[in-house]
Amino acid sequence: DIVMTQSPLSLPVTLGEPASISCRSSQSLLHSNGYNSLHWYLQKPGQSPQLLIYLGSNRASGVPDRFSGSGSGTLFTLKISRVEAEDVGVYYCMQDVQTPLTFGGGTKVEIK
Amino acid sequence: EVQLVESGGGLVQPGGSLRLSCAASGFTFTNHAMNWVRQAPGKGLEWVSTISSTGRSTYYADSVKGRFTISRDTSKDTLFLEMNNLRAEDTAKYYCAKSGVFGVLIEAGFDSWGQGTLVAVSS
């Protein structure tokens, strides 16, 4: 199974400041189709998860452009250029290059 | 607007069975793979199962293989999860999620999620 490791586990941030979350996989997520099968989700408090970034770097529909995804192979990063209050919650990365699909353990983002 | 509405959760004794349903609307059901993801209380997300858009292919986490069965009814645009021989560790909120598609047949994450249905396994 592919192990997904996120860091940090907890990320206190200041409103208006940037934030960055790392996700490392135990095997390459580069699919034969040329895309990285790595996706980012945000679960806001009390809500269902929502897709933020798909295939490593593509923003999902309706996601603000302050969110960006980068990386390839085994190391990926989610960046928030300027954190807003509505960005608090738990961020998860997920791979689907092979089954079983696996999620990272989550990074809890909170406002300082 | 895409809507996914789960139902069928509840309290069941160990060894018991439940059938979860997910009613889908707002998109062409037969064009998308569908998934079940669960979240134990206070824990992270765990993938449970996926069914292809045609229904011909199914995939399961090792933790549920042989006990859970995913299926879909295209006449009713509904996804199902039949859960047998339930264990305490199956206690979780179960989410139905739609697979996105990018370009031609490239899976693009789970782009819509339901509100979840709670399953509690306890005597």
Side-chain angles (χ1 to χ4, degrees):
Chain A
D1 298 3
I2 296 178
V3 177
M4 305 296 290
T5 304
Q6 286 183 234
S7 61
L9 264 62
S10 176
L11 183 58
V13 296
T14 301
L15 288 174
E17 293 297 304
S20 179
I21 300 170
S22 174
C23 177
R24 187 182 298 271
S25 58
S26 61
Q27 299 176 37
S28 177
L29 303 185
L30 185 59
H31 195 279
S32 56
N33 60 24
Y35 293 94
N36 286 284
S37 299
L38 184 283
H39 318 290
W40 290 97
Y41 302 89
L42 165 60
Q43 187 173 31
K44 296 182 180 181
Q47 295 187 19
S48 302
Q50 62 184 90
L51 180 66
L52 291 177
I53 301 288
Y54 63 92
L55 298 172
S57 60
N58 299 275
R59 268 190 306 277
S61 176
V63 174
D65 61 8
R66 64 180 180 273
F67 290 93
S68 64
S70 63
S72 185
T74 62
L75 185 58
F76 299 87
T77 302
L78 175 72
K79 291 182 179 177
I80 310 173
S81 59
R82 293 174 303 279
V83 173
E84 297 190 5
E86 64 182 19
D87 301 337
V88 300
V90 182
Y91 290 76
Y92 296 94
C93 59
M94 183 198 85
Q95 69 79 21
D96 61 359
V97 74
Q98 68 180 50
T99 57
L101 280 59
T102 46
F103 288 90
T107 294
K108 186 174 184 178
V109 171
E110 54 190 9
I111 304 300
K112 281 182 185 174
Chain B
E1 180 196 1
V2 171
Q3 284 202 332
L4 300 169
V5 180
E6 301 96 333
S7 60
L11 175 63
V12 61
Q13 292 187 336
S17 299
L18 277 177
R19 189 192 198 203
L20 305 185
S21 300
C22 171
S25 62
F27 65 101
T28 304
F29 188 64
T30 51
N31 285 355
H32 296 267
M34 295 294 295
N35 312 272
W36 289 99
V37 176
R38 68 185 181 184
Q39 187 169 36
K43 301 297 185 183
L45 301 172
E46 180 188 13
W47 171 75
V48 173
S49 183
T50 294
I51 186 168
S52 65
S53 57
T54 62
R56 293 196 196 103
S57 299
T58 57
Y59 310 88
Y60 299 93
D62 285 346
S63 58
V64 308
K65 201 172 294 182
R67 300 187 299 123
F68 290 11
T69 302
I70 191 171
S71 62
R72 60 195 298 164
D73 183 339
T74 54
S75 69
K76 297 179 180 177
D77 287 357
T78 302
L79 175 72
F80 300 101
L81 186 68
E82 187 78 39
M83 304 187 296
N84 297 315
N85 192 18
L86 282 161
R87 306 167 179 166
E89 53 265 36
D90 296 319
T91 294
K93 178 175 278 192
Y94 284 73
Y95 294 100
C96 160
K98 164 182 164 283
S99 286
V101 178
F102 178 75
V104 180
L105 298 180
I106 297 175
E107 299 293 330
F110 300 165
D111 64 1
S112 297
W113 297 64
Q115 83 289 350
T117 186
L118 281 170
V119 172
V121 184
S122 174
S123 54

